[in-house]
Amino acid sequence: MDDEPLSHWAERRDAKIGRLRAMPIVSDNGPKGSHVNPEAPRAIERWNGHAWEPYAFASTLAEAKRILYPQGSEPSASGPAPKLGPGTGRHRKPQAPRPNRD
């Protein structure tokens, strides 16, 4: 069998206990992205290993971020874009032919 041992799965699951997330409190078609309506109130939820449970309340996105990232250690983006070298590459847009200048 290619299945992982149950103990490895349980360790991964238990490592996530206590994780927090901020969910916008909306009355329309369900949750939206965190950047949508930053002035809307947020419910801070905590993962207990089986379900998300209420943990705190924030009146804006900025306040929610202060609760989620108390040390100012907000997760960074993936980093700067890599430098592309010369060449056409598989995913690059083909260059238009250039006129010869003699």
Side-chain angles (χ1 to χ4, degrees), residues 22-46:
M23 296 298 295
I25 299 174
V26 295
S27 60
D28 54 351
N29 295 332
K32 305 266 190 264
S34 65
H35 64 284
V36 177
N37 198 0
E39 298 303 316
R42 303 294 202 266
I44 309 297
E45 299 175 333
R46 182 180 175 273

Side-chain angles (χ1 to χ4, degrees), residues 10-22:
E11 287 174 13
R12 277 199 337 271
R13 184 200 63 197
D14 292 344
K16 296 177 184 178
I17 292 176
R19 182 175 289 175
L20 299 176
R21 73 176 182 181

Side-chain angles (χ1 to χ4, degrees), residues 18-22 42-46 55-74:
R19 182 175 289 175
L20 299 176
R21 73 176 182 181
R42 303 294 202 266
I44 309 297
E45 299 175 333
R46 182 180 175 273
Y55 177 77
F57 177 80
S59 59
T60 64
L61 176 59
E63 185 180 336
K65 285 184 176 185
R66 283 192 296 273
I67 295 170
L68 295 175
Y69 313 110
Q71 305 294 334
S73 59
E74 188 169 332

